[in-house]
Amino acid sequence: MSERLQPGDVAPAFTLPDADGTEVSLSDHKGRKVIVYFYPAALTPGCTKQACDFTDNLELLAGAGYEVIGISPDKPEKLAKFRDKESLKVTLLADQDKQVLESYGAFGEKKNYGKTYMGVIRSTIVVDEEGKVERALYNVRATGHVAKIIKDLGI
């Protein structure tokens, strides 16, 4: 199981394709705050709710200086479908080999109905302008999570 990040840690660098296949790097956002959230699968009810919540609050978050990036193990084509179907405005990135998920501690052992398996741990990491972890939230719920982040960040 990968190590969970702690506030003050340097956020692991990444470069991943977005829904259109364009490479996006964390370093592209240096000097700006970034909310990086990890979700299991595009086009599923919980992940759709979470992505829509981020999209609905994007203006508020951007106004407070935050950019939002969602990362899942989906293919870019599926992310494009997800974005278009739900009119999402957040940047969605594909981490098919799960290396970024693992480096952020967002992939590991999960339990569901008594079964243990490896999967995406729904997580949100807030990265400051210097590229350091400001907050690291693991095992978050899809519903109500964005409102909690906004409240916690004092926006």
Side-chain angles (χ1 to χ4, degrees), residues 48-125:
T48 299
K49 171 82 179 108
Q50 189 178 21
C52 288
D53 278 356
F54 271 119
T55 292
D56 293 347
N57 288 286
L58 202 55
E59 228 171 83
L60 178 68
L61 290 164
Y66 291 91
E67 295 182 25
V68 180
I69 297 173
I71 299 178
S72 74
D74 296 305
K75 291 183 167 138
E77 301 79 28
K78 187 173 180 190
L79 296 179
K81 237 185 249 173
F82 186 36
R83 176 195 61 203
D84 298 344
K85 180 177 188 267
E86 302 297 338
S87 304
L88 300 175
K89 304 242 182 313
V90 295
T91 300
L92 300 175
L93 302 181
D95 182 21
Q96 291 178 262
D97 62 14
K98 303 175 187 74
Q99 284 188 324
V100 176
L101 284 155
E102 288 185 12
S103 70
Y104 275 78
F107 188 83
E109 208 171 83
K110 294 175 69 166
K111 283 184 173 34
N112 198 11
Y113 301 113
K115 285 190 173 27
T116 301
Y117 62 97
M118 297 301 281
V120 176
I121 298 162
R122 194 182 299 276
S123 312
T124 301
I125 310 299

Side-chain angles (χ1 to χ4, degrees), residues 121-140:
I121 298 162
R122 194 182 299 276
S123 312
T124 301
I125 310 299
V126 180
V127 180
D128 70 14
E129 301 90 338
E130 304 299 313
K132 288 199 171 13
V133 175
E134 189 178 303
R135 290 169 193 265
L137 310 163
Y138 292 94
N139 294 312
V140 301

Side-chain angles (χ1 to χ4, degrees), residues 11-63:
F14 61 79
T15 300
L16 294 169
D18 69 7
D20 299 316
T22 305
E23 300 269 297
V24 175
S25 299
L26 181 60
S27 59
D28 297 342
H29 302 276
K30 191 133 180 81
R32 296 188 296 257
K33 295 179 184 186
V34 186
I35 296 171
V36 182
Y37 79 96
F38 298 92
Y39 62 99
L43 300 166
T44 57
C47 297
T48 299
K49 171 82 179 108
Q50 189 178 21
C52 288
D53 278 356
F54 271 119
T55 292
D56 293 347
N57 288 286
L58 202 55
E59 228 171 83
L60 178 68
L61 290 164

